[in-house]
Amino acid sequence: NSVPGEFASYGVRASDGGTVYGNSDTIYVIGRLIANGAISGKVLLIDSITAENNMDIYVTKNISDNTGLSLNGFNQYVAIPDPGNFNSPIFTVEAWVNIPVDISCPVVAKGNAWALSINGSGQASFSVSNVGTETHNTVLTTNTWHHLTGIYDGHSVKMIVDSQMRDSLHTTATYTPDNNPLMIGAYSRNPDTTDFHGYIDEVQIWNIARDTHSVNQTQNHTLIGNEPGLIGYYPFKNDF
């Protein structure tokens, strides 16, 4: 029953009954659990001999164990007043999502300036006003956690899904920012329709254009909150 971002201890046993590491069938993991079920922390053998630090251990999450922001798709969303620092000329938007069905819906949007969303075919896309839209070719599996990243570096729009970069859309146009609220689970321009249905977690807004390597370094970890370039962080640690 541990929730993302909280430290806890877990016992993990090999599915075939064999060894996990050395001569032990069981290891203990002390670390942070995030939305997709990954645990990052110190790995200890059952005899308390330290095996390795910062090893990623992946466990199976039941759908009933989902945590994060739960939205039913009908006029449920989070609206955050514009703090005044979300209009950077370059930026990155990240979020973990879990959808029960394929439905066209927003994940995170900032007025008409930009939107991280999912189309009716289950593909994630990132749209930047006056620039264009990059759609990833990966079809999201329902009832499964996926990590989405939209990037605008000033001249191209990029989309990363589960560590896989989509060829970027290049343009000479410059995006148009606005002062509308940041919306999680809805579009600012029409928050009462096509709302998000499923779970959203670990929403992050950066004023830098991150790359695949930097995204991979942090996507399986909760953040401290003062990382360079991080201007918005919404870790839904408990069920909402």
Side-chain angles (χ1 to χ4, degrees), residues 2-6 10 31-40 56-59 61 65-68 96 145 147 201-202 204 216 218-223 233 235-237:
S2 297
V3 299
E6 293 188 356
Y10 305 83
R32 295 181 183 272
L33 174 69
I34 66 165
N36 73 335
I39 304 169
S40 178
D56 289 330
I57 300 296
Y58 291 87
V59 298
K61 276 181 64 67
D65 293 335
N66 282 327
T67 55
W96 281 96
W145 284 99
H147 187 260
D201 205 5
E202 290 287 320
Q204 303 170 15
N216 290 345
T218 59
Q219 70 178 25
N220 288 331
H221 305 273
T222 54
L223 303 179
Y233 183 38
F236 299 102
K237 290 186 175 182

Side-chain angles (χ1 to χ4, degrees), residues 2-232:
S2 297
V3 299
E6 293 188 356
F7 278 100
S9 179
Y10 305 83
V12 182
R13 182 175 296 274
S15 60
D16 61 359
T19 59
V20 175
Y21 190 97
N23 296 318
S24 173
D25 287 346
T26 304
I27 59 176
Y28 291 100
V29 180
I30 303 172
R32 295 181 183 272
L33 174 69
I34 66 165
N36 73 335
I39 304 169
S40 178
K42 180 178 290 186
V43 178
L44 302 176
L45 295 180
I46 194 170
D47 59 5
S48 297
I49 299 175
T50 300
E52 184 174 347
N53 291 325
N54 301 319
M55 178 183 290
D56 289 330
I57 300 296
Y58 291 87
V59 298
T60 300
K61 276 181 64 67
N62 296 323
I63 299 304
S64 60
D65 293 335
N66 282 327
T67 55
L69 179 66
S70 176
L71 303 173
N72 65 11
F74 299 98
N75 201 28
Q76 288 188 337
Y77 54 89
V78 174
I80 302 169
D82 180 36
N85 64 341
F86 281 178
N87 292 327
S88 170
I90 60 174
F91 49 88
T92 301
V93 183
E94 300 182 48
W96 281 96
V97 299
N98 188 327
I99 55 174
V101 294
D102 289 333
I103 183 174
S104 177
C105 59
V107 178
V108 187
K110 181 66 169 61
N112 293 317
W114 52 260
L116 183 64
S117 59
I118 302 172
N119 64 26
S121 299
Q123 297 169 303
S125 64
F126 190 49
S127 300
V128 179
S129 175
N130 199 42
V131 176
T133 300
E134 181 63 70
T135 300
H136 204 282
N137 56 2
T138 296
V139 176
L140 304 182
T141 304
T142 57
N143 295 318
T144 302
W145 284 99
H146 296 279
H147 187 260
L148 312 182
T149 304
I151 303 167
Y152 176 62
D153 62 9
H155 56 79
S156 61
V157 181
K158 304 174 184 178
M159 186 74 223
I160 303 175
V161 175
D162 297 335
S163 302
Q164 299 299 313
M165 172 76 80
R166 170 70 176 175
D167 290 340
S168 57
L169 169 70
H170 296 276
T171 179
T172 57
T174 302
Y175 102 104
T176 305
D178 62 34
N179 297 319
N180 285 309
L182 177 72
M183 304 290 285
I184 300 177
Y187 290 116
S188 298
R189 58 184 178 274
N190 195 356
D192 297 326
T193 60
T194 62
D195 294 340
F196 183 89
H197 184 197
Y199 293 88
I200 301 176
D201 205 5
E202 290 287 320
V203 175
Q204 303 170 15
I205 314 295
W206 304 76
N207 64 5
I208 55 177
R210 309 190 81 201
D211 55 23
T212 304
H213 176 73
S214 61
V215 171
N216 290 345
Q217 289 290 100
T218 59
Q219 70 178 25
N220 288 331
H221 305 273
T222 54
L223 303 179
I224 297 174
N226 61 354
E227 285 79 0
L230 183 67
I231 56 176

